[in-house]
Amino acid sequence: MLDKIIKLKEQGLTIKQIAEKLESTEGKVKYAWSKYRKSLSEPADKKTAAPKKQQKATPSMKVAANEIVPAVIAIPSLERDAFGMATHYEDDIMHAIVQSPTALYVYWELSELSRKMLETHYHAAFDSFRKELRIIDVTLVEYEKGEANRTYQFELPEMTNSWFVRPLSPNTTYIIEWGIQTIDGDFVPVLRSKPVETPRDEPVVEGRFAEVVARWQNGEVEQPEWVEVLRPYSYFDRIR
């Protein structure tokens, strides 16, 4: 099962999509994937052996000239800024934050493990990939089923981990994807944000209170009519 999860993950599928393809649960897939990623970053020998008495070297203990001695895997420490805060967390993340009805701020981080997986799968250096950002309008549709109103994408400068996306349409739901372009010109999504909705840029002209708001705005009444039902205090009898 793990081999199938790794292959599907290399194709850019999410945990939910992999679970559906394997007819399993998201929890089992996520656990297997996390355990696999953790095993790649752990030293070859995690257990600390109890100290042993020194023994004299014997011919059987000597390392042969052609024997391969496994090296210790060094885990790099996180880089930190002047305030001691980590500049990255070696994780795969992508977030989109609303800035205005027509703009989003997007930032992401790709772990070293994911970079190595891309290099291994496509047999190319990570710097050689063309990085792109895809903007997807998913308003009132289900993107997980392949539905989308419209999409467009553009190339990103190298060494970029954030971007202001604009201009966008107000009152619209977007999903942002970061990915690479293959040698065949195909876009491979690697990171994906959660759906985010841009706010309206004009007053609501329809709805439950549209008519009473219009009368108040036109000066026909001194205060909105719904104020009458909003009391500043409420009294409740307490049953003892």
Side-chain angles (χ1 to χ4, degrees):
M1 179 178 176
L2 180 59
D3 293 338
K4 294 180 180 180
I5 293 175
I6 295 173
K7 290 181 180 179
L8 294 173
K9 195 67 177 176
E10 289 176 349
Q11 296 174 13
L13 272 67
T14 63
I15 296 295
K16 182 178 180 180
Q17 291 172 330
I18 295 174
E20 292 176 352
K21 281 186 172 292
L22 300 181
E23 296 183 352
S24 181
T25 63
E26 293 184 38
K28 290 182 179 179
V29 174
K30 188 175 182 180
Y31 174 79
W33 176 246
S34 300
K35 188 174 181 181
Y36 167 71
R37 289 186 56 183
K38 186 177 180 181
S39 67
L40 295 180
S41 60
E42 288 179 347
D45 186 7
K46 291 172 51 181
K47 299 181 179 178
T48 304
K52 297 182 179 179
K53 295 181 180 180
Q54 293 184 352
Q55 299 179 358
K56 293 182 180 180
T58 60
S60 60
M61 294 175 62
K62 294 182 180 179
V63 179
N66 59 349
E67 184 178 351
I68 299 176
V69 180
V72 177
I73 302 175
I75 301 177
S77 59
L78 295 179
E79 298 178 5
R80 299 185 179 274
D81 58 18
F83 301 98
M85 300 296 292
T87 56
H88 63 278
Y89 294 93
E90 280 302 315
D91 201 359
D92 297 326
I93 60 172
M94 188 170 198
H95 295 293
I97 303 173
V98 175
Q99 295 294 300
S100 73
T102 59
L104 294 176
Y105 174 70
V106 186
Y107 68 93
W108 59 90
E109 179 178 327
L110 187 68
S111 66
E112 187 65 26
L113 175 62
S114 295
R115 296 185 184 211
K116 294 297 183 184
M117 289 181 62
L118 289 172
E119 291 179 333
T120 302
H121 183 75
Y122 292 103
H123 305 286
F126 183 77
D127 294 342
S128 67
F129 296 130
R130 172 188 166 118
K131 286 78 173 179
E132 295 185 346
L133 210 61
R134 173 183 281 181
I135 317 301
I136 311 164
D137 178 354
V138 294
T139 307
L140 301 178
V141 299
E142 296 185 33
Y143 184 60
E144 295 294 339
K145 295 183 178 180
E147 301 176 1
N149 296 315
R150 56 183 180 274
T151 65
Y152 71 92
Q153 59 203 56
F154 54 87
E155 183 179 4
L156 291 167
E158 192 66 32
M159 303 298 291
T160 304
N161 65 348
S162 62
W163 199 262
F164 280 97
V165 180
R166 54 192 173 200
L168 298 174
S169 300
N171 196 28
T172 304
T173 306
Y174 289 99
I175 286 178
I176 313 298
E177 291 182 341
W178 180 95
I180 63 172
Q181 187 182 90
T182 66
I183 192 172
D184 299 323
D186 298 326
F187 176 79
V188 179
V190 180
L191 301 174
R192 178 181 299 163
S193 74
K194 293 182 179 180
V196 59
E197 184 175 351
T198 54
R200 301 175 183 268
D201 63 345
E202 58 185 11
V204 180
V205 295
E206 297 180 358
R208 184 178 177 185
F209 299 110
E211 184 178 348
V212 293
V213 170
R215 284 201 295 267
W216 172 61
Q217 289 177 331
N218 295 331
E220 298 177 12
V221 293
E222 294 183 359
Q223 63 181 7
E225 298 174 32
W226 71 83
V227 173
E228 297 176 0
V229 300
L230 298 179
R231 300 177 183 177
Y233 299 98
S234 297
Y235 175 80
F236 297 91
D237 288 329
R238 183 176 298 174
I239 302 177
R240 298 180 183 273

